[in-house]
């Protein structure tokens, strides 16, 4: 619903889009393209995907008609080598993990966007390594966006806590921030945190954080920073980082 709302998170995303240099393209790692291969969208005109149910009709009416960038997709495959990245010409597009954020960052949908599939068959260290291989794309004008949630437990939602987090969610979120800001290359140590199982019942929404940390760790001495933080419905973290 953040795609339709204006709140402190969407304001932060909009401010970020205005503050940073306009990128050549956006490469988005979204929790919602979680599949059995590593691939990147390579179509010239990606479709807007509404990969959810039970929401208002006006959310299904959202379109994000950004162009694609097949030539950047080829560069993604190039820099990832010897990791294999397939070129997806027709199966995916831009899902809500990407457009719900980008509609505020680049509301005119005039920046080319690609998505990188999260390979569900691979362990976390694979994703950390792949992220480091993708980091040089930033020097070529590509903005890398990782979209998930540090804490994402839909089974524990508490609708009475729209702007608050359970104690365990806050503990894990704070631990994640400390690692990501101080030592992003150590992001996988979060698997040993006592609240990991509650905060990360499935890996799909956590893996984008691994990509962010991997890119940040490979990007040089600049430290990541917290763009905005907060919690929703007890068991969701809304914390966002930049690097």
């Amino acid at each position: 619903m953040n795609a339709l709302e204006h709140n402190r998170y969407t304001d932060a995303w909009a401010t970020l889009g205005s503050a940073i240099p306009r990128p050549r393209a956006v490469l988005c790692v979204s929790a919602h393209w979680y599949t059995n291969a590593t691939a990147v969208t390579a179509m010239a005109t990606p479709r807007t995907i509404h990969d959810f149910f039970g929401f208002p009709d006006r959310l299904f009416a959202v379109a994000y008609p950004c162009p694609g960038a097949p030539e950047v997709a080829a560069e993604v495959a190039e820099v990832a080598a010897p990791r294999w990245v397939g070129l997806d010409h027709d199966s995916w597009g831009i899902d809500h993990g990407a457009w719900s954020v980008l509609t505020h960052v680049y509301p005119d949908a005039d920046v080319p966007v690609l998505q990188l599939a999260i390979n569900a068959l691979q362990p976390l260290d694979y994703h950390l390594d792949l992220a480091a291989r993708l980091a040089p794309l930033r020097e070529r004008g590509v903005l890398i966006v990782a979209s998930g949630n540090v804490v994402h437990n839909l089974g524990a939602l508490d609708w009475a806590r729209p702007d608050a987090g359970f104690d365990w969610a806050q503990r894990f979120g704070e631990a994640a921030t400390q690692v990501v800001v101080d030592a992003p290359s150590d992001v996988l140590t979060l698997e040993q945190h006592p609240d990991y199982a509650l905060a990360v019942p499935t890996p799909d929404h956590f893996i984008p954080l691994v990509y962010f940390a991997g890119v940040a760790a490979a990007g040089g001495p600049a430290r990541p920073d917290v763009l905005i933080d907060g919690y929703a419905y007890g068991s969701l973290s809304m914390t966002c980082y930049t690097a």
Side-chain angles (χ1 to χ4, degrees), residues 20-162:
I20 62 176
R22 181 183 172 89
R24 176 174 158 231
V26 174
L27 175 64
C28 185
V29 183
S30 163
H32 293 274
W33 195 13
Y34 188 65
T35 186
N36 61 354
T38 304
V40 63
T41 55
M43 64 284 292
T45 308
R47 62 192 175 101
T48 303
I49 299 174
H50 301 87
D51 51 326
F52 44 78
F53 59 90
F55 287 89
D57 290 344
R58 60 196 180 105
L59 193 60
F60 289 90
V62 171
Y64 194 73
C66 62
E71 72 285 358
V72 178
E75 292 180 43
V76 171
E78 170 201 332
V79 300
R83 300 288 190 189
W84 181 85
V85 178
L87 300 181
D88 169 34
H89 296 284
D90 54 17
S91 71
W92 203 244
I94 307 301
D95 63 48
H96 81 272
W99 57 255
S100 64
V101 175
L102 294 178
T103 195
H104 296 285
V105 180
Y106 299 116
D108 294 329
D110 55 353
V111 175
V113 180
L114 309 87
Q115 281 200 216
L116 181 76
I118 295 175
N119 190 331
L121 304 180
Q122 297 292 347
L124 292 183
D125 58 356
Y126 166 91
H127 299 290
L128 189 64
D129 173 76
L130 179 56
R133 296 176 186 276
L134 298 175
L137 290 170
R138 298 203 298 173
E139 299 172 6
R140 304 184 188 183
V142 178
L143 173 65
I144 300 176
V145 173
S147 176
N149 294 91
V150 176
V151 178
H152 186 270
N153 188 331
L154 296 182
L157 290 179
D158 182 351
W159 298 105
R161 299 173 182 247

Side-chain angles (χ1 to χ4, degrees), residues 128 176 179-180 183-191 206 209-211 213-214:
L128 189 64
V179 170
V180 167
S185 61
D186 293 339
V187 66
L188 300 190
T189 62
L190 290 170
E191 284 188 281
F206 179 74
L209 179 68
V210 176
Y211 276 89

